[in-house]
Amino acid sequence: MYHVLVVDDDSLVSDLVARMLFAAGYRVDTAGNGSDALDLIGVLSPDLVLSDMQMPEMDGGELYRALRARGLDMPFIGMSGNRDLLLTAGFDACLTKPFKMADLLSAVKGVLGKHLVS
């Protein structure tokens, strides 16, 4: 069972995304910002990080750069209502909010399949 860390400061969004992923068979944990996510990643070692871009304390872009600076190359999907924040980030995949749950599941499955099979 793949493990996904959902990072979003909007608890309604993170809860909904977490429930959808859980229903699809994923193990899911959540964090409210990038700083909390960094702490959890050291303990949980998720297979994928799915992060909002605009959050307090540490946003999604800062989280992505911090992971790479630490040598952690786990797959990363960025989410944002601001498409411009996603275009140049270099993430494995991007979801523009609001997104359909089918698109979420397709992105997660595609990214995990590409990174963990090879």
Side-chain angles (χ1 to χ4, degrees):
M1 175 183 322
Y2 291 123
H3 184 195
V4 179
L5 178 61
V6 177
V7 187
D8 200 311
D9 61 318
D10 184 335
S11 62
L12 293 175
V13 172
S14 64
D15 289 348
L16 179 61
V17 169
R19 279 186 271 153
M20 290 303 299
L21 291 172
F22 180 78
Y26 296 96
R27 182 174 153 219
V28 184
D29 283 290
T30 62
N33 61 56
S35 180
D36 291 345
L38 268 181
D39 292 340
L40 286 174
I41 287 167
V43 175
L44 302 174
S45 299
D47 298 304
L48 169 72
V49 176
L50 177 65
S51 180
D52 185 29
M53 294 304 298
Q54 296 177 298
M55 298 177 290
E57 294 186 45
M58 178 184 280
D59 66 31
E62 292 169 325
L63 172 59
Y64 177 77
R65 289 186 295 278
L67 291 172
R68 297 308 182 251
R70 292 180 181 191
L72 299 171
D73 62 349
M74 78 238 334
F76 194 100
I77 298 175
M79 307 181 287
S80 180
N82 183 342
R83 186 168 172 76
D84 292 339
L85 290 175
L86 298 170
L87 293 177
T88 60
F91 303 139
D92 296 285
C94 301
L95 291 166
T96 303
K97 292 178 181 180
F99 49 82
K100 296 177 182 174
M101 287 302 135
D103 294 335
L104 166 70
L105 296 175
S106 177
V108 168
K109 183 177 179 182
V111 167
L112 285 171
K114 181 170 66 173
H115 282 276
L116 300 178
V117 171
S118 54

